[in-house]
Amino acid sequence: MRRLTCAGLAALRAGSPVDPPVVLLPGYTGSKEDYLLIMTELAQAGFNVIAIDQRGQYESPAADPERDCMVEALAVDVGRVVDEIGRPVHLLGHSFGGLVARAAVINRPSVMASLVLLSSGPAGIVGARRIALRAMRIVYDRSGRDAVWAAVRVADTTVYPPGGLEFLERRFFASSDIGLRVMGEQLLDEPDRVGELAAVIREAAAPVLVAHGIADDAWPPHLQADMAARVGARYEVIPDAAHSPATENPPATAAVLIDFWREAVGQRAA
């Protein structure tokens, strides 16, 4: 695993640059490290895997987060990453990162060799996570980021490996304060752009995968299944996982992605 920058963004890379490139976008409050448990396996399967911090996340600073952390600006960053790589990529976006990946493809279809929307939905987040995100925004407005972190910790029942919680705290406070607010607002308010994406996919004839954990609680599975049908995408449900399959069930997630990307590479070669 190698640390580097790609188009000015902090990144991790595994694999050989001669292999088909894969670019992984993290979700809201996430980072490139969210993919650590699958990157080596993806690389060993024959892919050049690059996971990035989007601007405003963890180690990728945002000079003007009010502007730089908007979905459309982050989508432009994806194009810059692809330009530096020098060829279309197999693009994956998780959760909020899926909204960014979608915008990147709609705006510039040539960036993608294929597209994966992992635990991402057709529009703004719904259900209990929507309620929680709105509540966190109120806490932030009243008491600031320290209070948000404290409230999240009270509600979190996850058992972390040694050093895991310390990393999450470091990442949370290293990320842009304003950027987190801007991204959170868009996660609530993103419009349904599935029709636009479907039109682009038909024109580009590019493979698309919609996948999520069986217990995803951010966008209900039926919404993601319907999105897959509207786009004409392959649809996969990952067992023993919820909203973050790459960390909750890495072997099954890697297997689904490898199978899809190998098929996509075969289609491009045919």
Side-chain angles (χ1 to χ4, degrees):
M1 196 78 60
R2 181 185 164 203
R3 296 176 64 87
L4 68 158
T5 59
C6 190
L9 302 175
L12 294 171
R13 190 178 85 185
S16 167
V18 303
D19 288 332
V22 167
V23 171
L24 309 176
L25 307 181
Y28 179 58
T29 75
S31 68
K32 57 194 178 301
E33 287 77 12
D34 294 341
Y35 297 107
L36 279 172
L37 298 180
I38 64 172
M39 287 182 68
T40 298
E41 188 169 353
L42 299 180
Q44 290 172 344
F47 297 97
N48 177 30
V49 187
I50 300 168
I52 68 170
D53 292 343
Q54 299 188 84
R55 204 167 299 279
Q57 293 179 328
Y58 193 28
E59 295 178 318
S60 289
D64 181 358
E66 291 280 6
R67 178 198 64 202
D68 296 344
C69 298
M70 297 291 290
V71 165
E72 291 297 320
L74 297 172
V76 171
D77 282 338
V78 173
R80 294 190 181 109
V81 168
V82 174
D83 288 340
E84 186 163 311
I85 292 169
R87 52 178 166 154
V89 304
H90 298 282
L91 180 62
L92 179 151
H94 170 245
S95 192
F96 175 76
L99 304 181
V100 174
R102 180 176 71 180
V105 167
I106 289 172
N107 295 343
R108 188 178 158 190
S110 61
V111 301
M112 67 164 171
S114 71
L115 175 65
V116 178
L117 301 176
L118 180 63
S119 298
S120 193
I125 201 165
V126 300
R129 284 185 180 250
R130 182 179 185 85
I131 294 169
L133 184 54
R134 281 183 161 174
M136 290 301 102
R137 187 162 65 178
I138 293 170
V139 171
Y140 172 84
D141 289 342
R142 290 177 177 174
S143 305
R145 186 156 44 161
D146 285 350
V148 171
W149 176 254
V152 169
R153 297 278 58 80
V154 168
D156 188 4
T157 59
T158 305
V159 177
Y160 294 99
L165 186 58
E166 290 79 3
F167 167 74
L168 292 181
E169 182 175 14
R170 184 168 67 252
R171 177 173 72 180
F172 181 77
F173 286 101
S175 297
S176 167
D177 194 353
I178 296 172
L180 288 173
R181 175 180 58 76
V182 170
M183 287 185 275
E185 289 170 354
Q186 291 173 100
L187 191 52
L188 290 169
D189 300 334
E190 176 75 4
D192 187 324
R193 303 189 69 188
V194 176
E196 294 175 73
L197 178 63
V200 167
I201 295 303
R202 284 194 299 270
E203 180 69 22
V208 180
L209 168 66
V210 172
H212 62 81
I214 191 169
D216 197 343
D217 60 347
W219 287 274
H222 73 86
L223 282 183
Q224 296 186 62
D226 178 69
M227 179 174 67
R230 292 168 64 192
V231 175
R234 176 171 167 177
Y235 175 64
E236 297 283 352
V237 178
I238 299 168
D240 300 320
H243 186 55
S244 301
T247 58
E248 294 157 349
N249 191 344
T253 302
V256 165
L257 295 175
I258 290 166
D259 184 65
F260 171 71
W261 283 328
R262 283 178 170 166
E263 183 177 326
V265 169
Q267 289 179 17
R268 287 180 63 83

